[in-house]
């Protein structure tokens, strides 16, 4: 509801929309620079992803490497990457969630919340 029953100030609405767009772009850039980790096997395998979900690193403790059982190592790698991606999604929710709420509360198409 507009106080006094007047028409909304279109210039003011446009400025607010542009500010929200700038805030969203800044938050997305920050996510792309921020790295989060996930691990599996009690830390034998660690994966690092950006806040936007890009895999940046994978560390494997030599104790996790058994030439006779590469299947377990593969499972640990998948689990570590999944854990890192879950942490990235939580970070996305923290950074972008409030901005999405400002855009109507229904989220932004293409984002996981």
């Amino acid at each position: 509801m507009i106080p006094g029953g007047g028409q909304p100030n279109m210039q003011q609405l446009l400025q607010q929309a542009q500010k929200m767009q700038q805030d969203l772009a800044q938050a997305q850039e920050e996510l792309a620079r921020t790295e989060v980790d996930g691990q599996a096997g009690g830390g034998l395998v660690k994966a690092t992803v950006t806040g936007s979900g890009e895999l940046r690193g994978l560390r494997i403790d030599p104790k996790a490497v058994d030439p006779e059982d590469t299947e377990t190592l593969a499972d640990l790698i998948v689990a570590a990457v999944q854990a890192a991606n879950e942490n990235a999604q939580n970070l996305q929710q923290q950074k972008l969630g409030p901005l999405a709420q400002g855009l109507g509360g229904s989220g932004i198409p293409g984002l996981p919340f």
Side-chain angles (χ1 to χ4, degrees):
M1 190 100 209
I2 308 294
Q7 291 295 319
N9 180 333
M10 293 307 284
Q11 183 65 26
Q12 184 179 11
L13 289 176
L14 181 60
Q15 287 174 348
Q16 286 176 339
Q18 287 173 338
K19 168 113 173 65
M20 289 175 68
Q21 186 176 19
Q22 289 170 350
D23 290 347
L24 180 60
Q26 182 179 358
Q28 288 172 327
E29 288 174 19
E30 186 176 330
L31 282 171
R33 290 189 309 266
T34 304
E35 293 184 348
V36 294
D37 293 321
Q39 62 179 346
L44 290 175
V45 176
K46 295 181 182 179
T48 301
V49 300
T50 64
S52 58
E54 178 185 344
L55 182 63
R56 286 285 177 95
L58 189 61
R59 292 178 301 283
I60 301 171
D61 188 306
K63 291 182 267 186
V65 180
D66 178 357
E68 302 297 318
D69 186 15
T70 57
E71 200 171 295
T72 297
L73 178 57
D75 289 343
L76 289 173
I77 292 169
V78 169
V81 171
Q82 287 175 337
N85 279 326
E86 287 176 19
N87 291 336
Q89 287 179 352
N90 289 337
L91 183 62
Q92 288 174 4
Q93 179 63 39
Q94 291 172 4
K95 296 284 183 190
L96 300 179
L99 294 172
Q101 302 246 336
L103 295 173
S106 61
I108 300 172
L111 293 179
F113 49 87

